[in-house]
Amino acid sequence: MWGGRMEQNTLRVIIVDDEIHICQLLRKIICWDSLNMKCIGVFDNSVKALNFIRNNQPEIVLTDIRMPQLSGLELIREVRNLKISTEFIVISGYKEFEYAHQALQYGVRSYILKPVNEDELNSELEAIGKRIRISSNEVRRTQELQQEVDKSKRIIRDDLLKQILDGQIDEKNIESEISIRGDCYQVYDIKLDYMDYKKFDTKQDKITTERVMEIVESRLKETVNEILMTVREDLHMYCLVNYNHGKAREIPHLLNALLVELDDYLIGFEQYVVTIGAGREVDSFSDIKYSVTGAYRAVCNRLRFGTERLISEAEIDVSDVKAVDRIMDRHRSTLIAFYNNYESGLLAADIEGMFQELLTEKKIDMTLCYKLTEQIVYLLLGPSEPNSEKYHYFINILHCAQHCHHIDDMVLLIKNALITYVDGLREAAEQRISKPVMEAQRYVDEHFREKIVLEKVADLVGLHPIYLSTVFKKEIGMNFSEYIVKTRINEAKKLLVNTNETILVIAEEVGYKDSKYFSQLFRKVVGIKPAIYRRLHS
């Protein structure tokens, strides 16, 4: 047997001779298994053999020299012209030795004289096999090394852009890392959104973003002088380009062509949609931060313009940046009250009203919708441990919001997420409450319009009044009289919003004969007068 079976991939061999019985003989005497080779074709027609080589590129070809239509030498020459790195073994009779010698000019290093000796043929195949595998290993090692070098360069350049985005590097330091030859800078935010923000795949995200960045670099590199790219949270891919001012007019056309190419790539996944936000063109390194902000604002306005398009910072309306702060000031106390009292429905309605107020602003920049979402989430999150379940739940709302590309989806996401969380809190609280306390609560909920006396309720639930008062406060977090006030005020809120009854009538409806006292109590609990509350929430 010739050598041992090698672990490398099996080498493919074809045999070409115009005498088919010689082809069959050669095929029979070769030790295929021990050489780790296989015959993938036998041809008595050299023209057909050439077509097969062109399409399949076998590693080794055994060929006769003298054949009709296309000689062995002509076959070798044609394959060399195709730049196919096939190894040839020339089978030559004594009279054609001078032709075999000519094959050396085409890089053929193996020829065997007829009649073919079995040992000589297998020995030659083994030598060629070793040579091919050594060469293949060297090529693979070179490719792997180059890939590592390229990977290291990408990591360095990725980190470089992160430092630029975070304002941690200046122009002098960056020029030591990359070549800045152009006189213009521009930043793009290439944003991938999940078609369904509830379905995400971190592994696929990594593969997809890497391919997207390859497409971007391939499309832009011929026009711009320098490209830096990095992936940030929520599939925001930032791209900083440096180019000559004369290329400025080409950039929008280039970005639209890029968008088409990205759409074509992503359409097969049925998982992502893409939007490109273009920041302003700046001519100073120190002004790149403005282009970064502009690119993000442009992408946020897909809530208005839609996805799968290029959005320029110049298209965005200039909004009153304090609009969100004003809305938060008006609703902060009610949001906290609804949250603390487990009133998920009222909380959701209040949040929807806040977004409606924002969208009635003139010349709205949709970036403010994301800002409002953040402020609502952080207000209700409060001081929480970063590793707590509550922290992760609320922060996940923000991540999901970054994948909402319709305003209705964003509002629905926030409402549903907070309803689910608040209802969970209420259910957990109810499970901690003992039966006598639950009965006392139920009595107040059903009789709040009437005069309620602790002693009577204690008698109904079978506890001493002092003990009921103590256990009620321990389990509910407020004393019995505070719970009565809370229940009455909550009912008053509903009547103020949903009816046209006067303050006097509403006061009586919730158990207060003195409307002035009711108004003072309402203001003390809610923070504003009943009439103002009605104007804000009707």
Side-chain angles (χ1 to χ4, degrees):
M1 299 294 288
W2 292 94
R5 184 169 178 82
M6 305 182 74
E7 294 182 359
Q8 289 92 336
N9 292 336
T10 301
L11 300 180
R12 299 163 305 146
V13 182
I14 72 168
I15 302 170
V16 188
D17 196 301
D18 60 328
E19 297 183 58
I20 193 64
H21 70 278
I22 293 180
C23 292
Q24 300 297 349
L25 174 64
L26 293 173
R27 184 173 188 171
K28 186 175 181 179
I29 64 175
I30 294 173
C31 302
W32 299 105
D33 288 340
S34 59
L35 292 169
N36 197 11
M37 298 178 184
K38 68 177 179 180
C39 181
I40 62 170
V42 172
F43 298 90
D44 61 358
N45 183 307
S46 53
V47 174
K48 291 182 179 179
L50 176 61
N51 289 330
F52 185 87
I53 294 169
R54 179 186 291 111
N55 295 325
N56 296 277
Q57 302 187 19
E59 284 77 30
I60 302 172
V61 173
L62 276 67
T63 181
D64 190 14
I65 282 205
R66 302 193 81 180
M67 294 181 290
Q69 293 185 290
L70 196 68
S71 71
L73 289 178
E74 291 169 331
L75 174 64
I76 295 167
R77 183 184 65 214
E78 291 298 321
V79 172
R80 291 292 179 253
N81 288 339
L82 293 171
K83 307 298 182 185
I84 298 174
S85 58
T86 296
E87 289 275 355
F88 284 88
I89 296 179
V90 172
I91 308 295
S92 171
Y94 288 108
K95 292 182 181 179
E96 294 96 22
F97 182 81
E98 59 186 69
Y99 298 116
H101 185 70
Q102 292 178 35
L104 294 174
Q105 298 176 12
Y106 298 115
V108 177
R109 291 185 283 180
S110 302
Y111 58 89
I112 295 176
L113 300 178
K114 294 180 180 179
V116 176
N117 178 276
E118 179 180 343
D119 290 344
E120 182 183 5
L121 176 59
N122 281 288
S123 179
E124 194 64 41
L125 283 167
E126 183 179 37
I128 289 176
K130 286 181 178 179
R131 190 162 64 242
I132 291 172
R133 288 175 175 121
I134 289 171
S135 175
S136 177
N137 288 338
E138 288 176 349
V139 169
R140 186 171 64 253
R141 281 195 294 270
T142 300
Q143 290 174 341
E144 289 172 352
L145 181 60
Q146 186 60 49
Q147 288 172 357
E148 287 298 318
V149 171
D150 292 342
K151 183 179 179 181
S152 297
K153 286 181 178 179
R154 284 196 300 272
I155 291 172
I156 292 171
R157 293 165 71 83
D158 180 284
D159 186 62
L160 191 61
L161 183 51
K162 286 178 181 176
Q163 292 182 59
I164 294 172
L165 295 176
D166 296 334
Q168 297 174 350
I169 191 169
D170 57 27
E171 190 168 7
K172 289 182 179 179
N173 290 330
I174 195 174
E175 286 181 344
S176 65
E177 301 289 345
I178 60 173
S179 174
I180 301 295
R181 302 190 307 275
D183 44 21
C184 296
Y185 302 91
Q186 194 172 29
V187 175
Y188 313 122
D189 183 352
I190 301 165
K191 178 70 171 75
L192 296 184
D193 287 315
Y194 299 124
M195 290 183 176
D196 182 350
Y197 61 78
K198 296 184 289 296
K199 297 178 182 178
F200 59 90
D201 184 341
T202 305
K203 185 177 180 181
Q204 184 60 51
D205 289 347
K206 187 175 187 299
I207 296 170
T208 304
T209 53
E210 286 179 354
R211 178 58 186 146
V212 166
M213 289 195 292
E214 288 174 2
I215 293 172
V216 172
E217 186 166 358
S218 174
R219 174 65 68 170
L220 300 181
K221 66 182 181 182
E222 297 301 325
T223 303
V224 304
N225 298 327
E226 189 62 69
I227 306 172
L228 293 178
M229 293 195 70
T230 189
V231 182
R232 305 288 264 189
E233 277 191 325
D234 304 313
L235 302 183
H236 285 272
M237 285 170 282
Y238 281 93
C239 174
L240 168 64
V241 296
N242 170 245
Y243 54 89
N244 297 320
H245 185 71
K247 297 286 187 179
R249 289 188 177 182
E250 298 179 33
I251 298 296
H253 303 291
L254 201 60
L255 293 176
N256 278 307
L258 169 63
L259 190 65
V260 170
E261 191 171 350
L262 292 176
D263 279 337
D264 288 344
Y265 166 65
L266 294 170
I267 198 170
F269 294 98
E270 296 185 347
Q271 187 173 351
Y272 308 96
V273 289
V274 63
T275 307
I276 300 179
R280 71 187 69 172
E281 179 187 281
V282 296
D283 55 13
S284 168
F285 183 87
S286 60
D287 289 339
I288 288 175
K289 57 182 177 287
Y290 300 119
S291 190
V292 173
T293 303
Y296 175 72
R297 288 178 60 219
V299 153
C300 287
N301 277 268
R302 68 197 187 285
L303 290 174
R304 174 183 172 188
F305 296 113
T307 59
E308 297 178 294
R309 58 157 293 174
L310 170 65
I311 304 173
S312 168
E313 180 183 2
E315 298 177 65
I316 305 169
D317 291 322
V318 178
S319 295
D320 181 355
V321 294
K322 293 184 178 180
V324 170
D325 295 333
R326 290 196 299 271
I327 292 171
M328 288 299 298
D329 288 342
R330 289 195 293 269
H331 291 263
R332 184 174 283 103
S333 60
T334 53
L335 285 175
I336 293 173
F338 292 148
Y339 178 82
N340 290 337
N341 294 330
Y342 311 136
E343 296 171 307
S344 59
L346 292 174
L347 179 64
D350 205 34
I351 288 171
E352 184 168 359
M354 294 170 74
F355 277 94
Q356 288 175 353
E357 288 179 41
L358 180 61
L359 294 173
T360 58
E361 293 278 334
K362 294 180 179 179
K363 297 182 177 180
I364 178 69
D365 174 359
M366 302 304 280
T367 309
L368 297 182
C369 294
Y370 293 95
K371 182 181 178 182
L372 179 59
T373 301
E374 287 183 9
Q375 294 210 19
I376 292 171
V377 166
Y378 281 116
L379 173 68
L380 300 181
L381 174 60
S384 301
E385 289 293 326
N387 293 323
S388 68
E389 182 179 341
K390 179 182 180 182
Y391 180 86
H392 287 298
Y393 185 91
F394 276 70
I395 296 303
N396 187 59
I397 296 174
L398 296 182
H399 289 310
C400 290
Q402 281 291 329
H403 288 280
C404 290
H405 40 276
H406 297 291
I407 186 62
D408 292 343
D409 291 341
M410 178 181 285
V411 176
L412 188 63
L413 159 71
I414 300 164
K415 287 168 53 179
N416 288 345
L418 291 176
I419 285 173
T420 300
Y421 191 81
V422 171
D423 286 349
L425 291 178
R426 187 188 66 251
E427 290 171 7
E430 289 173 350
Q431 290 174 4
R432 294 193 299 269
I433 300 172
S434 61
K435 184 177 179 181
V437 172
M438 288 182 66
E439 289 177 351
Q441 280 186 296
R442 190 179 304 113
Y443 181 87
V444 173
D445 294 343
E446 293 174 356
H447 298 272
F448 64 86
R449 295 178 180 85
E450 308 165 11
K451 182 178 180 180
I452 299 175
V453 180
L454 175 63
E455 286 74 14
K456 180 181 178 180
V457 177
D459 185 56
L460 287 171
V461 301
L463 294 177
H464 189 280
I466 295 177
Y467 182 70
L468 173 61
S469 179
T470 302
V471 74
F472 192 98
K473 184 169 185 177
K474 181 180 179 181
E475 294 185 13
I476 303 302
M478 65 183 77
N479 61 40
F480 187 69
S481 61
E482 287 174 337
Y483 184 77
I484 295 171
V485 171
K486 171 197 161 187
T487 304
R488 288 171 170 170
I489 295 300
N490 285 343
E491 180 64 18
K493 289 178 184 177
K494 296 177 185 176
L495 294 172
L496 286 166
V497 173
N498 299 317
T499 73
N500 294 320
E501 297 290 355
T502 64
I503 304 298
L504 175 63
V505 171
I506 290 174
E508 291 179 349
E509 280 288 317
V510 298
Y512 296 106
K513 302 297 182 183
D514 186 342
S515 62
K516 184 176 180 181
Y517 173 73
F518 164 72
S519 295
Q520 291 173 343
L521 188 60
F522 189 96
R523 183 175 183 180
K524 181 179 178 182
V525 174
V526 180
I528 54 178
K529 294 179 179 180
I532 297 175
Y533 184 89
R534 168 173 274 170
R535 286 201 299 271
L536 289 174
H537 295 276
S538 295

